Amino acid sequence: MALLPILRYPDPRLHTVAAPVAGVDEDIRRLIADMAETMYEAPGIGLAATQVDVHKRIVVIDVSEDRSDLRALINPEIIERDGEQVHEEGCLSVPGIYEKVTRAERVKVRALNDKGEPFEFEADGLLAVCVQHEIDHLDGKVFVEYLSQLKLGRIKSKLAKKARITA
Ligand code: GNR
Ligand code: NI
């Protein structure tokens, strides 16, 4: 297993649209294991392959308290959505920034598992938020892009200032 470096906003590579996985093989399973290790170490509740500069449609998620409920989703698709919820979000690619985002309250998701088999599940609450946040990454979208231009501008200067200090 290996820890993978996480891209930081506004890295333009975060805007890459990820390609579907054509076949689930040992390389994909190794990537999933490395992504899970990277997510747990961060620590985070989800990680999209986009964030580790791999532009394939793969995400890992674990919203459980005890970090015992790892889900790997390959080629995930939201096939039903309803309701609305507002949740404060953060992102490993935008460290230190937490803002409220409005998303669907409930989603039904179809994906492949790490054996390449299709499966479906329904999610609400934080898991639904996380699924939507991760699929956005695969589509090249970062949560701060839902915010007003004013807020986004302030976030960009804050991150630029921090990058100058840590560089
Ligand atoms: O760790 C994370 N926490 C989080 C909190 C609220 C809404 C979404 C998230 S996902 C984030 C990890 C991450 O950046 N995934 O892409
Ligand atoms: Ni994120």
Tab-separated table of all heavy atoms in Angstrom, residues 61 78 81 85 89 102-107 125 127-137 146:
chain	number	residue	atom	x	y	z
A	61	ILE	N	-15.227	5.808	-0.031
A	61	ILE	CA	-16.025	6.539	0.956
A	61	ILE	C	-16.074	5.705	2.227
A	61	ILE	O	-16.222	4.474	2.168
A	61	ILE	CB	-17.471	6.757	0.437
A	61	ILE	CG1	-17.478	7.707	-0.771
A	61	ILE	CG2	-18.390	7.273	1.539
A	61	ILE	CD1	-18.852	7.909	-1.408
A	78	ILE	N	-25.586	8.540	-10.210
A	78	ILE	CA	-26.789	8.810	-9.421
A	78	ILE	C	-27.981	8.575	-10.338
A	78	ILE	O	-28.118	9.247	-11.359
A	78	ILE	CB	-26.756	10.232	-8.846
A	78	ILE	CG1	-25.610	10.318	-7.820
A	78	ILE	CG2	-28.102	10.589	-8.199
A	78	ILE	CD1	-25.374	11.696	-7.261
A	81	ARG	N	-32.691	10.992	-7.430
A	81	ARG	CA	-32.366	11.946	-6.360
A	81	ARG	C	-33.647	12.632	-5.940
A	81	ARG	O	-34.522	12.869	-6.752
A	81	ARG	CB	-31.311	12.965	-6.836
A	81	ARG	CG	-31.725	13.814	-8.025
A	81	ARG	CD	-30.651	14.858	-8.391
A	81	ARG	NE	-29.551	14.253	-9.125
A	81	ARG	CZ	-28.258	14.471	-8.851
A	81	ARG	NH1	-27.905	15.268	-7.855
A	81	ARG	NH2	-27.334	13.888	-9.573
A	85	GLN	N	-30.921	19.124	1.132
A	85	GLN	CA	-30.308	19.307	2.444
A	85	GLN	C	-29.161	20.295	2.291
A	85	GLN	O	-28.561	20.421	1.230
A	85	GLN	CB	-29.806	17.981	3.012
A	85	GLN	CG	-28.735	17.303	2.179
A	85	GLN	CD	-28.171	16.051	2.860
A	85	GLN	OE1	-28.004	16.002	4.077
A	85	GLN	NE2	-27.876	15.032	2.055
A	89	GLU	N	-19.575	21.543	4.191
A	89	GLU	CA	-18.631	20.641	3.535
A	89	GLU	C	-17.195	21.129	3.686
A	89	GLU	O	-16.929	22.328	3.814
A	89	GLU	CB	-18.965	20.514	2.030
A	89	GLU	CG	-20.359	19.944	1.809
A	89	GLU	CD	-20.619	19.438	0.399
A	89	GLU	OE1	-19.653	19.244	-0.374
A	89	GLU	OE2	-21.805	19.230	0.089
A	102	THR	N	-25.894	23.224	-0.697
A	102	THR	CA	-27.212	22.584	-0.838
A	102	THR	C	-27.099	21.440	-1.838
A	102	THR	O	-26.580	21.637	-2.943
A	102	THR	CB	-28.247	23.604	-1.357
A	102	THR	OG1	-28.279	24.710	-0.459
A	102	THR	CG2	-29.639	22.971	-1.440
A	103	ARG	N	-27.563	20.264	-1.424
A	103	ARG	CA	-27.530	19.087	-2.304
A	103	ARG	C	-28.804	18.281	-2.102
A	103	ARG	O	-29.592	18.575	-1.209
A	103	ARG	CB	-26.324	18.200	-1.964
A	103	ARG	CG	-24.976	18.877	-2.198
A	103	ARG	CD	-23.897	17.837	-2.154
A	103	ARG	NE	-22.547	18.391	-2.195
A	103	ARG	CZ	-21.833	18.556	-3.310
A	103	ARG	NH1	-22.348	18.232	-4.488
A	103	ARG	NH2	-20.593	19.032	-3.247
A	104	ALA	N	-28.985	17.221	-2.917
A	104	ALA	CA	-30.118	16.312	-2.736
A	104	ALA	C	-30.028	15.635	-1.372
A	104	ALA	O	-28.941	15.302	-0.892
A	104	ALA	CB	-30.131	15.270	-3.848
A	105	GLU	N	-31.188	15.419	-0.737
A	105	GLU	CA	-31.236	14.748	0.573
A	105	GLU	C	-31.027	13.238	0.424
A	105	GLU	O	-30.400	12.604	1.263
A	105	GLU	CB	-32.589	15.036	1.246
A	105	GLU	CG	-32.955	14.142	2.426
A	105	GLU	CD	-31.961	14.166	3.583
A	105	GLU	OE1	-31.211	15.152	3.717
A	105	GLU	OE2	-31.927	13.165	4.341
A	106	ARG	N	-31.599	12.682	-0.678
A	106	ARG	CA	-31.520	11.235	-0.894
A	106	ARG	C	-31.086	10.964	-2.328
A	106	ARG	O	-31.557	11.626	-3.258
A	106	ARG	CB	-32.895	10.591	-0.692
A	106	ARG	CG	-33.133	9.970	0.682
A	106	ARG	CD	-34.503	9.328	0.780
A	106	ARG	NE	-35.528	10.219	0.242
A	106	ARG	CZ	-36.021	11.267	0.886
A	106	ARG	NH1	-35.611	11.545	2.115
A	106	ARG	NH2	-36.913	12.037	0.311
A	107	VAL	N	-30.216	9.981	-2.477
A	107	VAL	CA	-29.799	9.569	-3.825
A	107	VAL	C	-29.803	8.051	-3.908
A	107	VAL	O	-29.603	7.356	-2.910
A	107	VAL	CB	-28.381	10.093	-4.182
A	107	VAL	CG1	-28.370	11.608	-4.313
A	107	VAL	CG2	-27.328	9.628	-3.179
A	125	GLY	N	-28.632	11.747	4.131
A	125	GLY	CA	-27.766	12.411	5.099
A	125	GLY	C	-26.341	12.570	4.601
A	125	GLY	O	-26.109	12.846	3.417
A	127	LEU	N	-23.913	10.455	4.021
A	127	LEU	CA	-23.455	9.570	2.944
A	127	LEU	C	-23.907	10.108	1.581
A	127	LEU	O	-23.130	10.089	0.616
A	127	LEU	CB	-23.967	8.136	3.171
A	127	LEU	CG	-23.580	7.107	2.097
A	127	LEU	CD1	-22.066	7.012	1.923
A	127	LEU	CD2	-24.167	5.734	2.448
A	128	ALA	N	-25.130	10.618	1.516
A	128	ALA	CA	-25.627	11.206	0.262
A	128	ALA	C	-24.812	12.438	-0.119
A	128	ALA	O	-24.478	12.640	-1.298
A	128	ALA	CB	-27.111	11.552	0.383
A	129	VAL	N	-24.472	13.260	0.864
A	129	VAL	CA	-23.635	14.439	0.612
A	129	VAL	C	-22.291	13.998	0.038
A	129	VAL	O	-21.807	14.519	-0.973
A	129	VAL	CB	-23.390	15.251	1.917
A	129	VAL	CG1	-22.308	16.309	1.713
A	129	VAL	CG2	-24.690	15.897	2.392
A	130	CYS	N	-21.689	13.002	0.692
A	130	CYS	CA	-20.354	12.559	0.308
A	130	CYS	C	-20.360	11.971	-1.109
A	130	CYS	O	-19.474	12.279	-1.919
A	130	CYS	CB	-19.841	11.555	1.330
A	130	CYS	SG	-18.091	11.230	1.140
A	131	VAL	N	-21.347	11.149	-1.428
A	131	VAL	CA	-21.438	10.570	-2.776
A	131	VAL	C	-21.507	11.690	-3.820
A	131	VAL	O	-20.801	11.643	-4.843
A	131	VAL	CB	-22.674	9.639	-2.889
A	131	VAL	CG1	-22.963	9.303	-4.342
A	131	VAL	CG2	-22.471	8.364	-2.080
A	132	GLN	N	-22.328	12.702	-3.567
A	132	GLN	CA	-22.482	13.795	-4.531
A	132	GLN	C	-21.186	14.607	-4.649
A	132	GLN	O	-20.774	14.990	-5.751
A	132	GLN	CB	-23.665	14.693	-4.133
A	132	GLN	CG	-25.007	13.969	-4.258
A	132	GLN	CD	-26.158	14.762	-3.646
A	132	GLN	OE1	-26.703	15.661	-4.289
A	132	GLN	NE2	-26.524	14.445	-2.410
A	133	HIS	N	-20.530	14.849	-3.508
A	133	HIS	CA	-19.257	15.576	-3.484
A	133	HIS	C	-18.192	14.817	-4.295
A	133	HIS	O	-17.450	15.425	-5.082
A	133	HIS	CB	-18.841	15.760	-2.016
A	133	HIS	CG	-17.520	16.403	-1.767
A	133	HIS	ND1	-17.387	17.618	-1.114
A	133	HIS	CD2	-16.244	16.000	-2.033
A	133	HIS	CE1	-16.100	17.923	-1.017
A	133	HIS	NE2	-15.376	16.959	-1.557
A	134	GLU	N	-18.142	13.490	-4.118
A	134	GLU	CA	-17.108	12.692	-4.816
A	134	GLU	C	-17.388	12.591	-6.315
A	134	GLU	O	-16.459	12.676	-7.130
A	134	GLU	CB	-16.997	11.287	-4.203
A	134	GLU	CG	-16.667	11.224	-2.707
A	134	GLU	CD	-15.531	12.114	-2.280
A	134	GLU	OE1	-14.663	12.454	-3.101
A	134	GLU	OE2	-15.510	12.509	-1.098
A	135	ILE	N	-18.659	12.397	-6.694
A	135	ILE	CA	-18.965	12.306	-8.130
A	135	ILE	C	-18.693	13.650	-8.797
A	135	ILE	O	-18.205	13.704	-9.933
A	135	ILE	CB	-20.406	11.791	-8.361
A	135	ILE	CG1	-20.497	10.324	-7.889
A	135	ILE	CG2	-20.813	11.903	-9.837
A	135	ILE	CD1	-21.882	9.696	-7.994
A	136	ASP	N	-18.937	14.750	-8.083
A	136	ASP	CA	-18.548	16.065	-8.615
A	136	ASP	C	-17.055	16.098	-8.953
A	136	ASP	O	-16.667	16.613	-10.003
A	136	ASP	CB	-18.845	17.172	-7.591
A	136	ASP	CG	-20.258	17.729	-7.707
A	136	ASP	OD1	-20.987	17.375	-8.652
A	136	ASP	OD2	-20.621	18.540	-6.825
A	137	HIS	N	-16.200	15.570	-8.047
A	137	HIS	CA	-14.753	15.547	-8.334
A	137	HIS	C	-14.489	14.837	-9.663
A	137	HIS	O	-13.677	15.295	-10.471
A	137	HIS	CB	-13.977	14.831	-7.235
A	137	HIS	CG	-13.630	15.664	-6.036
A	137	HIS	ND1	-12.914	16.839	-6.113
A	137	HIS	CD2	-13.886	15.474	-4.722
A	137	HIS	CE1	-12.734	17.324	-4.881
A	137	HIS	NE2	-13.314	16.520	-4.022
A	146	TYR	N	-19.621	25.990	-5.980
A	146	TYR	CA	-21.053	26.263	-5.759
A	146	TYR	C	-21.261	27.594	-5.039
A	146	TYR	O	-22.390	28.061	-4.936
A	146	TYR	CB	-21.691	25.151	-4.914
A	146	TYR	CG	-21.893	23.857	-5.661
A	146	TYR	CD1	-21.111	22.745	-5.403
A	146	TYR	CD2	-22.888	23.747	-6.633
A	146	TYR	CE1	-21.302	21.546	-6.078
A	146	TYR	CE2	-23.084	22.557	-7.320
A	146	TYR	CZ	-22.290	21.467	-7.043
A	146	TYR	OH	-22.485	20.297	-7.722
